[in-house]
């Protein structure tokens, strides 16, 4: 039962353009969502997060949008840079009432930013 | 400031053997979680250790066990290895059992286990 889904295994974007990575979830109890970036031979690194009480969170070139009614979130990277090329994982957690570090991850999207 | 360190980085075992993976959390962190990332999949939660006790467990059989030491470091043990246990095993550390509002878990680079 895949509770967090990333339906696009890969995405290719030109440098300077916008990258949009999508994520869907099925469990309405999730109340906190995160994006992690992973380079080869490295562990995932935290990128940006959003609470379910918000619909947008921005950090520099990265913006995460949350649509609770659709159980959908997206990560926008503007402008995209070659160094952004990595696997991006969407993750979700039931933060309140759960109080654990049990992140539920999606399967990841490989982003390739072409120079 | 040392981040999360894991050892070994790579290892090869045969079916039926046992393996121990090790993790030292980021300085100042006291909670360790273990994740399994199979090829083409996202990381899956195995269990979490806090105050030397297993606090949460994912959907993994009893062949997977762990331990946390007084210095907060942790071990993951897998007995009776199966081919399907081949994966990247990630250790993540954080401060406190509860999830911080910053949402950050700090991951190590992982131990890649191959079972033949």
């Amino acid at each position: 039962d895949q509770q967090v889904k990333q339906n696009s295994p890969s995405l290719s974007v030109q440098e300077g353009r916008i990258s949009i990575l999508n994520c869907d979830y099925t469990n309405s109890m999730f109340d906190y969502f995160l994006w992690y970036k992973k380079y080869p031979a490295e562990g995932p690194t935290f990128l940006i997060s959003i609470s379910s009480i918000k619909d947008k969170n921005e950090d520099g070139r990265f913006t995460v949008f949350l649509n609770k009614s659709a159980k959908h979130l997206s990560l926008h990277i503007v402008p995209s840079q070659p160094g952004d090329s990595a696997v991006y994982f969407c993750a979700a957690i039931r933060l309140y009432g759960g109080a654990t570090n049990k992140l539920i991850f999606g399967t990841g999207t490989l982003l390739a930013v072409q120079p | 400031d040392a981040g999360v360190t894991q050892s070994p980085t790579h290892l090869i075992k045969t079916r039926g053997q046992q393996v121990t993976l090790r993790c030292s959390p980021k300085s100042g962190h006291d909670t360790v979680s273990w994740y399994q990332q199979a090829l083409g999949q996202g990381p899956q939660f195995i269990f979490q250790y806090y105050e030397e006790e297993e606090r949460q467990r994912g959907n993994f059989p009893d062949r997977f066990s762990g331990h946390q030491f007084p210095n907060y470091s942790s071990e993951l043990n897998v007995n009776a290895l199966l081919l399907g246990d081949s994966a990247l095993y990630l250790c993540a550390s954080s401060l406190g059992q509860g999830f911080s509002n910053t949402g950050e878990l700090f991951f190590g680079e992982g131990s890649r286990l191959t079972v033949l």
Side-chain angles (χ1 to χ4, degrees), chain A residues 53-86:
Chain A
I53 64 174
K54 296 184 176 181
D55 55 18
K56 177 182 175 181
N57 188 26
E58 191 172 354
D59 183 4
R61 296 186 297 114
F62 303 91
T63 302
V64 57
F65 296 92
L66 174 62
N67 183 334
K68 281 184 63 179
S69 61
K71 293 190 178 68
H72 177 83
L73 63 155
S74 60
L75 174 67
H76 292 209
I77 306 174
V78 183
S80 301
Q81 300 174 354
D84 296 330
S85 298

Side-chain angles (χ1 to χ4, degrees), chain A residues 32 34 36 43 95 100-101 103 106, chain B residues 35 42 56 94 99 101 103 105 108:
Chain A
Y32 201 80
L34 308 93
Y36 278 80
L95 187 60
T100 75
N101 293 335
L103 292 179
Chain B
Y35 286 78
Q56 285 283 325
S94 59
F99 202 70
N101 287 331
L105 278 184

Side-chain angles (χ1 to χ4, degrees), chain A residues 1 102 104, chain B residues 36 44-47 56-62 64:
Chain A
D1 178 24
K102 184 179 177 180
I104 308 298
Chain B
Q36 179 198 65
Q44 281 196 287
F45 177 80
I46 304 175
F47 42 53
Q56 285 283 325
R57 189 177 184 92
N59 189 26
F60 280 81
D62 292 344
F64 289 76

Side-chain angles (χ1 to χ4, degrees), chain A residues 2 32 34 36 38 41-46 49 89 93 95-96 98-108, chain B residues 31 33 35 37 40-43 45 48 56-57 88 90 94 96-99 101-105 107-109:
Chain A
Q2 191 72 24
Y32 201 80
L34 308 93
Y36 278 80
K38 186 179 186 301
E42 294 184 12
T45 55
F46 170 75
S49 62
F89 290 103
I93 189 170
L95 187 60
Y96 298 104
T100 75
N101 293 335
K102 184 179 177 180
L103 292 179
I104 308 298
F105 283 87
T107 53
Chain B
T31 303
S33 303
Y35 286 78
Q37 185 183 2
Q41 301 297 315
F45 177 80
Q48 177 200 55
Q56 285 283 325
R57 189 177 184 92
L88 179 67
L90 294 163
S94 59
Q97 184 184 2
F99 202 70
N101 287 331
T102 62
E104 292 191 48
L105 278 184
F107 283 86
E109 64 180 44

